[in-house]
Amino acid sequence: KVCPAPLPILGQIPSTISGRILDPDTDDPVADAEVRLLGTTKMDVTNTRGTFRFEGVEAGVYRLEIRHIAYGVHTEEIDVSAGTTLSLQ
């Protein structure tokens, strides 16, 4: 007997979050900032262009935490829709 696989519902379609961290005064990229998607295990460190990326994020409201030794800690609430790519700067 073959059972068909269930179709994914909208909330199960993973999304991507990407962004770029910039110095607020100079607009220069901020490298080595730790970026966390709170409530998940997702964490990334910005590269020399200040960019980060999270893939496979379920839809929902999250808090994005950014930490850097020279800039301190910044948190921001983000709303992730199913199956989309959210770009932040």
Side-chain angles (χ1 to χ4, degrees):
K1 184 175 183 180
V2 176
C3 296
L7 294 174
I9 60 173
L10 187 59
Q12 293 177 331
I13 300 170
S15 299
T16 299
I17 300 170
S18 63
R20 189 167 186 217
I21 309 299
L22 302 174
D23 181 289
D25 297 323
T26 65
D27 281 341
D28 290 334
V30 176
D32 301 319
E34 186 178 281
V35 183
R36 292 182 182 274
L37 194 59
L38 299 180
T40 74
T41 59
K42 298 193 180 296
M43 191 275 289
D44 197 6
V45 176
T46 57
N47 59 22
T48 57
R49 295 185 316 255
T51 62
F52 68 91
R53 184 177 182 90
F54 300 124
E55 295 181 347
V57 178
E58 296 297 323
V61 177
Y62 297 93
R63 294 206 52 85
L64 188 70
E65 179 183 81
I66 304 158
R67 289 180 177 264
H68 191 276
I69 194 163
Y71 298 95
V73 179
H74 173 79
T75 58
E76 184 173 326
E77 187 172 280
I78 57 172
D79 189 356
V80 179
S81 298
T84 62
T85 298
L86 179 63
S87 296
L88 307 169
Q89 186 162 311

